[in-house]
Amino acid sequence: MPTSTLDQAYDPEEFRKLGHLLIDQLADHLEENIKMNVKTMPWSPPEDMYSKVSSDLWMQETDLTDFVLRHSIRLHNPGYIGHQISPTLPIAALASLTSALLNNGGAVFEMGMTATSLERKLIELYADRIGYDIPTSTGFLTSGGTLANLTAMLAARRNKGHKDVWISGGQHTKMAVMVSEQAHYCIDRAARIMGLGEKGIIKIPVTKQFSVDNEAIGPLYDKAISEGYEVIAIVGSACSTSTGSYDDLEYMSSFAAEKNLWFHVDGAHGGAVIFSEKYKPLVKGIATADSVVIDCHKMMMSPSIITALVYKNEGTAYHNFSPEAEYLFDSVEAREWYNLGKRTFECTKEMMSLKVYTIIHHYGTEILTEYVDTLYDKAKSFSEILKDDDSFELACEPMANIVCFRFLQPNDQNVNNQLQLSIRKALLEEGTYYIVQTKLNGRIYLRCTVMNPFTTADQFMDLLAKIKTIASSLYGSR
Ligand SMILES: *Cc1c(COP(=O)(O)O)cnc(C)c1O
């Protein structure tokens, strides 16, 4: 009997069959990566890739999953040492499937009872590791570090601003936030979205280690005040994106306390050290922050994008988006932890908590400790290898799992930026390793983030050998 397309598409047996096939394909893909006999990056330039999709995939009988797998960068390949996205823990990918099927991710409790309650448990875990008092702190999971940082900056303004811009609009206000010149660009963007403008972002210069220069904070603050700005917040990077440098959170915290500023910690990348006894000292002082952001898709092996935003005082979180008069929100009834939409930017969201919790449920928080420690340790050993080789120069000592370095041509210390760019491009096209690049003090550096716990010292050495070969062929062909 002919059935409708809808009948067929919702048929559980069809799902079962396709699901088993899919899992087999994905498991084979994971296996190939471990064997390292496939390239990390099957590079196609944008126009070529678009043509392939147009001719080989779009409305063709092509196996869609096979096509996607063949033409995607492989984060599970140990040759992946590029941007700071986790090779997803396979079990968390399975949780994503459950989330996608159930679609229980509501702003209101009824639409996501389990996910909402799990989210509260997870936030309590974060709060505990940060050093907050659990009963008075709060938080939620949200769609990425960028949105989480914007949400925290909005909370800073709502809770510290002299004028309630949420009600009155931003006309005739001169507010500013202070942040490292090495901070992720999303802080700058958040400030501009809030209407603070270019002058509303006070960029603090950094030391040789690319951490905020504490000495510079006071004078910059005084200057802003003398120019009529109301400084509402100071943001610490834990760590910075380019070089993985941690700011001195203790110093920033005491400065914030002295001037009555909101103290926010952008721990999108490196906040996960709260799960590591060994590396936790890097975020000394974090417990005094008014808000902390930690990405789960970076150092916690979760699928993208899931970010925790944790507040020291729950009142500030509820106050952030409350349209009604202040007195309403001091009432206990209004602080409904179970209706997440009161505090989140999003209305609908995914069942994010399920994905993060699945990891902890299966492997305990120990796996997070092991992941952070392994990656940070490996970056240190990689930097030792670089130090032992005269052909390379480190940008700074790695504090996290991010290593920036440049190739030095023998007898020519004045190596140009173009050479680093050409090396990077050649590596991209060759595909065995995937690394990225960054600019520091006007100089281009090659940049590696050790994200895969299975990348070995031999592979670091092989990468450096490849770079030398590429460099000499580039020089030779001049
Ligand atoms: C990655 C990163 C962000 C942005 O987070 P997304 O999840 O990519 O939006 C913000 N701050 C820092 C320090 C980061 O490393």
Side-chain angles (χ1 to χ4, degrees):
M1 200 172 69
T3 56
S4 76
T5 309
L6 279 174
D7 284 334
Q8 199 191 336
Y10 279 103
D11 176 13
E13 287 313 315
E14 171 106 340
F15 177 69
R16 198 185 305 280
K17 196 177 83 201
L18 293 176
H20 282 296
L21 282 175
L22 177 66
I23 297 297
D24 281 341
Q25 272 176 303
L26 296 178
D28 289 348
H29 177 79
L30 285 178
E31 212 169 24
E32 280 174 7
N33 289 315
I34 292 164
K35 290 186 188 143
M36 190 59 193
N37 51 10
V38 285
K39 294 198 163 169
T40 302
M41 169 55 96
W43 174 245
S44 289
E47 289 304 325
D48 291 3
M49 192 65 227
Y50 179 71
S51 302
K52 268 183 216 155
V53 165
S54 307
S55 59
D56 303 351
L57 183 64
W58 190 249
M59 300 299 173
Q60 303 291 319
E61 292 287 313
T62 313
D63 183 315
L64 174 58
T65 307
D66 179 63
F67 183 94
V68 172
L69 293 179
R70 276 192 291 114
H71 296 289
S72 297
I73 182 167
R74 293 165 172 259
L75 278 65
H76 291 84
N77 194 310
Y80 179 88
I81 338 173
H83 288 293
Q84 344 161 224
I85 309 294
S86 301
T88 313
L89 210 62
I91 196 106
L94 295 178
S96 290
L97 181 60
T98 309
S99 164
L101 193 83
L102 296 186
N103 235 2
N104 269 223
V108 292
F109 181 69
E110 293 152 33
M111 285 301 288
M113 295 182 291
T114 324
T116 302
S117 304
L118 271 180
E119 193 160 317
R120 180 171 167 190
K121 293 300 292 180
L122 283 176
I123 293 299
E124 286 172 0
L125 172 67
Y126 279 106
D128 182 50
R129 297 300 172 101
I130 288 169
Y132 287 164
D133 284 336
I134 292 176
T136 49
S137 58
T138 189
F140 46 80
L141 300 175
T142 189
S143 304
T146 301
L147 190 67
N149 279 314
L150 172 61
T151 310
M153 288 298 95
L154 288 166
R157 181 170 68 182
R158 192 85 204 271
N159 287 285
K160 291 288 183 190
H162 183 67
K163 196 171 159 197
D164 192 354
V165 173
W166 193 251
I167 305 288
S168 63
Q171 304 86 345
H172 317 301
T173 55
K174 273 174 89 177
M175 290 186 182
V177 299
M178 302 188 76
V179 67
S180 165
E181 63 179 25
Q182 280 294 317
H184 191 271
Y185 73 85
C186 72
I187 304 288
D188 181 284
R189 186 176 288 185
R192 289 172 199 262
I193 288 168
M194 288 161 64
L196 271 53
E198 193 167 9
K199 288 198 154 170
I201 308 125
I202 303 168
K203 298 235 166 105
I204 316 166
V206 292
T207 62
K208 283 196 172 124
Q209 181 59 44
F210 299 100
S211 303
V212 152
D213 178 4
N214 292 343
E215 302 291 310
I217 299 175
L220 279 172
Y221 175 87
D222 293 341
K223 183 166 173 277
I225 298 296
S226 71
E227 288 170 1
Y229 282 89
E230 180 192 3
V231 181
I232 50 170
I234 185 163
V235 180
S237 301
C239 49
S240 69
T241 306
S242 275
T243 56
S245 304
Y246 284 81
D247 291 340
D248 181 346
L249 302 184
E250 265 191 322
Y251 184 88
M252 287 180 144
S253 157
S254 59
F255 187 84
E258 188 190 317
K259 307 291 184 194
N260 190 27
L261 311 180
W262 183 274
F263 177 38
H264 174 63
V265 173
D266 179 6
H269 179 87
V273 294
I274 56 169
F275 293 103
S276 158
E277 281 313 308
K278 185 171 176 187
Y279 291 106
K280 200 176 174 175
L282 289 168
V283 291
K284 200 152 176 272
I286 197 171
T288 61
D290 293 292
S291 50
V292 174
V293 159
I294 302 177
D295 274 357
C296 307
H297 52 278
K298 285 186 175 159
M299 293 300 293
M300 293 179 64
M301 295 168 284
S302 298
S304 304
I305 50 177
I306 308 174
T307 300
L309 170 54
V310 196
Y311 293 90
K312 187 182 177 70
N313 298 309
E314 64 168 350
T316 58
Y318 286 98
H319 186 46
N320 199 4
F321 296 128
S322 61
E324 294 93 333
E326 178 88 291
Y327 61 88
L328 266 181
F329 290 90
D330 276 332
S331 73
V332 180
E333 296 81 58
R335 292 184 183 175
E336 297 158 342
W337 65 268
Y338 46 85
N339 287 327
L340 282 164
K342 282 201 157 182
R343 285 166 293 153
T344 58
F345 202 102
E346 302 102 320
C347 181
T348 311
K349 65 180 192 188
E350 287 189 79
M351 298 171 76
M352 297 176 176
S353 58
L354 178 64
K355 305 180 197 185
V356 182
Y357 181 62
T358 297
I359 295 173
I360 295 170
H361 186 73
H362 276 262
Y363 305 108
T365 55
E366 295 81 5
I367 196 169
L368 304 175
T369 314
E370 212 183 301
Y371 186 67
V372 170
D373 288 354
T374 304
L375 300 186
Y376 277 43
D377 288 348
K378 284 198 180 216
K380 293 242 169 354
S381 2
F382 183 29
S383 74
E384 293 305 322
I385 296 172
L386 281 159
K387 277 187 212 164
D388 285 344
D389 193 330
D390 292 343
S391 304
F392 298 98
E393 176 187 70
L394 277 174
C396 62
E397 273 301 313
M399 295 173 87
N401 52 332
I402 300 171
V403 184
C404 297
F405 61 99
R406 28 198 281 140
F407 176 80
L408 300 173
Q409 183 65 16
N411 311 320
D412 180 7
Q413 293 302 302
N414 195 19
V415 193
N416 61 35
N417 284 343
Q418 189 51 48
L419 179 59
Q420 316 301 323
L421 294 173
S422 305
I423 289 170
R424 220 268 322 166
K425 184 158 176 282
L427 284 170
L428 178 77
E429 287 168 356
E430 195 275 331
T432 306
Y433 296 98
Y434 178 71
I435 73 168
V436 295
Q437 69 204 29
T438 190
K439 200 171 198 178
L440 301 163
N441 300 326
R443 296 173 140 207
I444 303 281
Y445 285 82
L446 300 171
R447 176 172 173 272
C448 291
T449 312
V450 186
M451 291 307 295
N452 191 310
F454 306 111
T455 309
T456 62
D458 282 351
Q459 285 167 330
F460 290 133
M461 288 192 278
D462 183 44
L463 166 68
L464 298 185
K466 271 203 159 60
I467 292 177
K468 287 183 199 176
T469 312
I470 291 167
S472 61
S473 75
L474 286 168
Y475 256 68
S477 64
R478 277 187 182 181

